[in-house]
Amino acid sequence: MIERLPTPWGLVRLGVAPDHPKLKTVSRAYERIAVKPGFRFLGNVEVGRDLTHADLERLYDAVIYAVGAQTDRRLGIPGEDLRGSWSATEFVAWYNGHPDFQDVSFDLNVDRAVVIGNGNVALDVARMLALTPEELAPTDTTEPAIEAIGASTVREILVVGRRGPAQASWTTQELKEMGELAGADVVVDPAELELDAVSEAALEHDTNARRNMDVLREFAGREPAGKPVTVRFLFFRSPVALHGDDRVDAIELVHNRLEEQGGRLVAVPTDERETIECQLVFRSVGYHGVPLPELPFDDRRGTIRNEGGRVIADGGAPLAGVYCAGWIKRGPTGIIGTNKKDATETASLLLEDIREGRLRHREDVSAEAVDALLAERDARAVLYHGWTAIDELERAAGDKLGRPRVKLRTWDELLDAAERVAEKTV
Ligand code: NAP
């Protein structure tokens, strides 16, 4: 398993919200795989920098790309790059301790934040912003993020969806949690929950949407308890501009109506607009995959071109021994379980190709050949025991504070911790 970062488990470590520790326990399954004979972890090795696809094809019988969707989608509106306007990715990566995002500084000493999007990431961002120091304390949120969020002066968080409540893509459990926050009241205007006939009819076949509507109606019936923060859901509105001189001071929204187009209800702008003062904007409108050198790519979907996980060459035939799984195969949707099923499909095709003799096996290629090439290129690979050293250090620091771990956050800290153990074992 080759990984650009010194740490494994991708979004489980650096994407899943820190106040969702149960979701992170999937890493135990990965740990069981990692100690099996034949598994090797090569962290801090970047494909495209330290190794090329051609190297991998030469050094391995098969290659599976599971690199996720690495950029966020843009809104394409004026003011998007003003100070105070962030992608959800940046905020999530920061509070989770991604080493590339530790120099960013979020000014949370403001009154109102707006989160654009109606997916689970938008809920993660809104919820993390609203957590109290007591709620943050038992999580593995980084220390600077605990400090900044704990000291935040944000009083209102608006979660804005371009379509209606019945079209939101969040899952019901995540939505329910918004109503269980210690320091925040949740507010929904009942008028925004009135559905058009098509949305109402669609609920019959969509259990998730039906349950979401039940939760939202329950929210709408609540009297605010006077908690310090209010999380307010707004629907049928799209951002058209962010205003401000050097930083965001307002967001302009256009009201939408729903229209059926090609079997899908889409948001169509009306003439009605409103401008809301705000000092922070988080754009949480989905991700997009990034093309990999030497691999066929579908630009529109942001995925490696594939059939069930077999990478498909320009002529339409499978590229022997090259596969993909997860968001770079399917696009940035689905929860952990969806990706598990997806990976199983790819692995089954790979096994079928082995059985059918479609993979080329070279006896002379070994793990030592990989190590030699990495050494020749001055790559400082972090092996699995390097990662377990990081893991142990973090857990020990967490133990002292009654937290699951205190994350090492910078490249230097992570590489030093991994290399200290490497020196001891040499
Ligand atoms: P998502 O579910 O695809 O949500 C993206 C949201 O952005 C949608 O509401 C979409 O609206 C909206 N959007 C897109 N373009 C827009 C625009 N130009 N203007 C306004 N709104 C726009 O994606 P996500 O929230 O990034 O999550 C990615 C995946 O990770 C999802 O499958 C999610 O369930 C999963 N995830 C799961 C958890 C969990 O299980 N706890 C946590 C985080 C993420 P439309 O529907 O109108 O396109």
Side-chain angles (χ1 to χ4, degrees):
M1 187 161 98
I2 295 173
E3 163 65 52
R4 178 183 163 264
L5 294 174
T7 55
W9 319 153
L11 287 177
V12 173
R13 176 177 166 94
L14 297 170
V16 171
D19 63 330
H20 281 169
K22 254 201 191 147
L23 284 179
K24 291 182 189 264
T25 55
V26 66
S27 61
R28 292 200 200 123
Y30 304 156
E31 285 160 8
R32 283 197 295 275
I33 296 166
V35 293
K36 289 194 180 192
F39 178 91
R40 287 219 303 161
F41 174 67
L42 299 174
N44 192 33
V45 174
E46 185 172 331
V47 174
R49 180 190 68 186
D50 304 309
L51 293 173
T52 63
H53 174 66
D55 293 328
L56 296 175
E57 276 197 305
R58 186 168 51 78
L59 292 165
Y60 293 95
D61 296 350
V63 187
I64 304 176
Y65 284 92
V67 294
Q70 299 187 21
T71 53
D72 33 77
R73 289 179 31 202
R74 306 255 317 156
L75 288 170
I77 59 171
E80 187 163 4
D81 294 316
L82 278 172
R83 248 181 345 121
S85 162
W86 299 95
S87 70
T89 321
E90 291 168 298
F91 190 54
V92 170
W94 170 70
Y95 64 60
N96 269 319
H98 190 301
D100 286 345
F101 293 84
Q102 297 308 304
D103 290 337
V104 289
S105 123
F106 291 92
D107 181 2
L108 306 182
N109 293 321
V110 300
D111 292 332
R112 187 181 285 128
V114 175
V115 183
I116 304 294
N118 269 181
N120 280 331
V121 172
L123 291 187
D124 280 349
V125 167
R127 197 181 63 254
M128 284 298 293
L129 267 179
L131 291 184
T132 60
E134 294 73 30
E135 287 169 312
L136 286 165
T139 70
D140 67 4
T141 312
T142 63
E143 307 267 90
I146 290 185
E147 220 166 276
I149 297 171
S152 150
T153 58
V154 172
R155 289 293 158 258
E156 188 171 55
I157 301 162
L158 305 180
V159 180
V160 181
R162 65 175 168 183
R163 296 192 290 158
Q167 287 78 38
S169 60
W170 47 55
T171 40
T172 309
Q173 180 52 35
E174 276 59 33
L175 179 61
K176 255 193 203 156
E177 276 179 56
M178 300 306 292
E180 296 161 2
L181 299 173
D185 281 316
V186 63
V187 173
V188 187
D189 179 351
E192 300 213 10
L193 302 184
E194 282 164 25
L195 299 183
D196 61 286
V198 182
S199 299
E200 190 70 59
L203 288 187
E204 270 191 40
H205 317 286
D206 188 338
T207 317
N208 188 59
R210 202 165 57 237
R211 291 189 181 142
N212 286 345
M213 284 304 298
D214 290 343
V215 174
L216 288 166
R217 287 189 178 118
E218 191 268 313
F219 288 171
R222 287 189 190 187
E223 271 303 316
K227 294 179 184 175
V229 178
T230 299
V231 177
R232 193 182 298 274
F233 287 94
L234 300 177
F235 297 100
F236 304 107
R237 291 165 173 88
S238 290
V240 283
L242 303 185
H243 297 294
D245 291 332
D246 65 333
R247 57 167 303 149
V248 179
D249 57 35
I251 184 166
E252 188 177 339
L253 302 169
V254 64
H255 286 238
N256 298 324
R257 60 184 173 75
L258 293 182
E259 197 176 283
E260 220 175 341
Q261 284 179 17
R264 189 173 186 266
L265 280 173
V266 299
V268 177
T270 66
D271 293 334
E272 194 184 341
R273 291 194 176 200
E274 72 184 303
T275 299
I276 301 176
E277 271 183 31
C278 66
Q279 302 77 31
L280 261 178
V281 173
F282 294 98
R283 310 176 310 263
S284 181
V285 293
Y287 298 96
H288 202 75
V290 175
L292 287 119
E294 307 173 62
L295 288 181
F297 199 74
D298 180 333
D299 285 315
R300 197 183 52 80
R301 298 181 61 225
T303 55
I304 294 177
R305 201 172 333 117
N306 75 93
E307 278 170 15
R310 280 191 185 111
V311 175
I312 301 298
D314 288 338
L319 262 182
V322 190
Y323 305 83
C324 56
W327 283 5
I328 198 64
K329 162 181 165 185
R330 229 182 46 248
T333 59
I335 54 178
I336 291 173
T338 326
N339 287 296
K340 189 175 167 192
K341 195 161 152 249
D342 174 294
T344 303
E345 180 188 43
T346 297
S348 309
L349 293 180
L350 165 54
L351 293 173
E352 183 185 305
D353 289 347
I354 295 174
R355 277 196 306 273
E356 300 295 322
R358 296 188 192 114
L359 296 193
R360 184 200 42 146
H361 175 63
R362 287 182 41 191
E363 293 290 345
D364 59 327
V365 179
S366 61
E368 289 72 32
V370 177
D371 294 341
L373 186 61
L374 288 173
E376 196 183 303
R377 297 197 179 148
D378 284 331
R380 294 158 65 186
V382 170
L383 304 183
Y384 194 68
H385 64 262
W387 152 244
T388 51
I390 294 170
D391 190 34
E392 280 161 22
L393 260 178
E394 291 185 341
R395 284 178 193 276
D399 263 355
K400 291 187 197 141
L401 301 169
R403 302 178 47 205
R405 66 176 68 237
V406 174
K407 282 181 177 171
L408 300 181
R409 299 179 296 113
T410 65
W411 281 93
D412 284 347
E413 280 173 348
L414 289 160
L415 292 175
D416 283 354
E419 278 173 14
R420 245 179 289 144
V421 71
E423 280 159 18
K424 268 195 245 155
T425 50
V426 164

